[in-house]
Amino acid sequence: MGSDILNMSWVNSKALLAGGEVDFFIRGYTDKKFMFLGHEVYLTTTHISMIIVMAFLLVFALFANHAIKKADPKEAPGPFLNVVELIVEKLDGMVASSMGARNAVKFRNYVSALFLFILTCNLSGLLGLRPPTADFGVTFPLAVITWVMIQYNGFKYQKMGKIKGLFEPIFLFFPINVISEFATPVSLSLRLFANILSGTMMMALIYGLLPKFLLWVWPAALHAYLDVFAGALQAYVFAMLTMVFIANAADLDD
């Protein structure tokens, strides 16, 4: 069923392209199917965009690591190192302000990596790529990883109090509390997915339906909002909710 829907999406996308209309960038790069764990896997625009984003972050991390190791503490840092220090300082401050300076050390690596990955994915639309976060197959695993961390830290710090909390304030609330726990990854992933997908579809409609002479100027304002502002905001919201949920589950104090 899933492969049929995917094939229909590719056919529709190709038909729109042939008609010179709207392109939502939902298509495969090859007609060949790959078998992975007994399932058919296609190489799609999401995979290509994901590879580019991960390659960019990896190269940036390698250059940052090299710049830090070669830095002379007696000399003023260069422009690139200043950018790296600014990013690290802002991310550390974001985690510390939400989870407390004492607890930030434990979670800043995960939250910072999560924020940078989602932000880069969201901004990749500026380069003409289909943002990976416009695919629910990307946002849902990210939310599941966060959910696992929430549960792990909940049991780690609360012990059996985590189970006890499911029956509070009264026993009859147990089903509701259980549903609430499992609804967390769904709500996290859908929020990010829906916002980025809607922006991608709006830009596709703009580029596909507006006269060509209007595309030189007007879409720039929409890119500034849908890709830059909304993309940065959704990355921040996802990271912030991650910190809040983990802090609440672990009952962390500042």
Side-chain angles (χ1 to χ4, degrees):
M1 180 66 179
S3 60
D4 293 338
I5 294 175
L6 183 59
N7 286 329
M8 290 175 61
S9 299
W10 293 354
V11 170
N12 292 337
S13 179
K14 291 179 179 178
L16 288 171
L17 283 171
E21 300 178 8
V22 181
D23 179 14
F24 292 114
F25 298 101
I26 307 174
R27 56 184 180 271
Y29 284 94
T30 63
D31 295 329
K32 182 180 179 181
K33 304 174 184 178
F34 303 94
M35 298 303 297
F36 180 75
L37 299 178
H39 297 277
E40 295 179 350
V41 179
Y42 298 84
L43 184 63
T44 68
T45 47
T46 298
H47 296 109
I48 299 300
S49 299
M50 182 80 75
I51 292 172
I52 294 174
V53 167
M54 293 176 64
F56 169 78
L57 291 174
L58 179 60
V59 170
F60 179 82
L62 291 175
F63 275 97
N65 181 61
H66 177 75
I68 292 172
K69 288 184 176 180
K70 296 297 182 180
D72 187 349
K74 297 181 181 179
E75 298 181 0
F80 179 72
L81 191 56
N82 272 326
V83 172
V84 173
E85 291 179 352
L86 178 64
I87 294 174
V88 173
E89 180 181 349
K90 293 300 181 181
L91 290 175
D92 286 350
M94 179 182 70
V95 180
S97 63
S98 299
M99 308 186 77
R102 182 169 56 87
N103 302 308
V105 179
K106 308 172 187 176
F107 303 100
R108 63 187 178 190
N109 288 339
Y110 172 70
V111 175
S112 298
L114 182 68
F115 176 81
L116 288 176
F117 176 75
I118 295 177
L119 178 63
T120 307
C121 286
N122 294 350
L123 296 179
S124 64
L126 293 171
L127 303 177
L129 301 174
R130 176 178 172 82
T133 41
D135 192 324
F136 190 64
V138 174
T139 61
F140 185 66
L142 292 175
V144 169
I145 295 173
T146 290
W147 183 78
V148 170
M149 289 196 65
I150 293 171
Q151 303 306 316
Y152 170 77
N153 285 281
F155 283 104
K156 178 180 178 180
Y157 292 97
Q158 295 188 45
K159 302 297 188 293
M160 294 307 297
K162 176 66 176 177
I163 301 296
K164 181 182 177 182
L166 296 176
F167 296 91
E168 295 177 348
I170 58 176
F171 179 82
L172 295 178
F173 276 77
F174 174 75
I176 298 177
N177 291 332
V178 171
I179 294 174
S180 177
E181 290 289 335
F182 284 95
T184 297
V186 178
S187 63
L188 270 177
S189 56
L190 284 177
R191 180 184 292 105
L192 177 59
F193 162 69
N195 279 280
I196 302 304
L197 178 63
S198 61
T200 301
M201 295 181 67
M202 288 179 64
M203 292 309 304
L205 290 171
I206 292 296
Y207 279 105
L209 302 179
L210 280 183
K212 299 300 181 183
F213 69 91
L214 290 178
L215 300 180
W216 288 97
V217 179
W218 191 60
L222 292 178
H223 275 298
Y225 176 78
L226 295 174
D227 288 329
V228 180
F229 177 75
L233 179 62
Q234 292 305 317
Y236 177 77
V237 169
F238 196 100
M240 184 61 63
L241 290 176
T242 295
M243 291 185 286
V244 170
F245 287 144
I246 292 176
N248 288 341
D251 198 19
L252 300 177
D253 297 323
D254 294 343

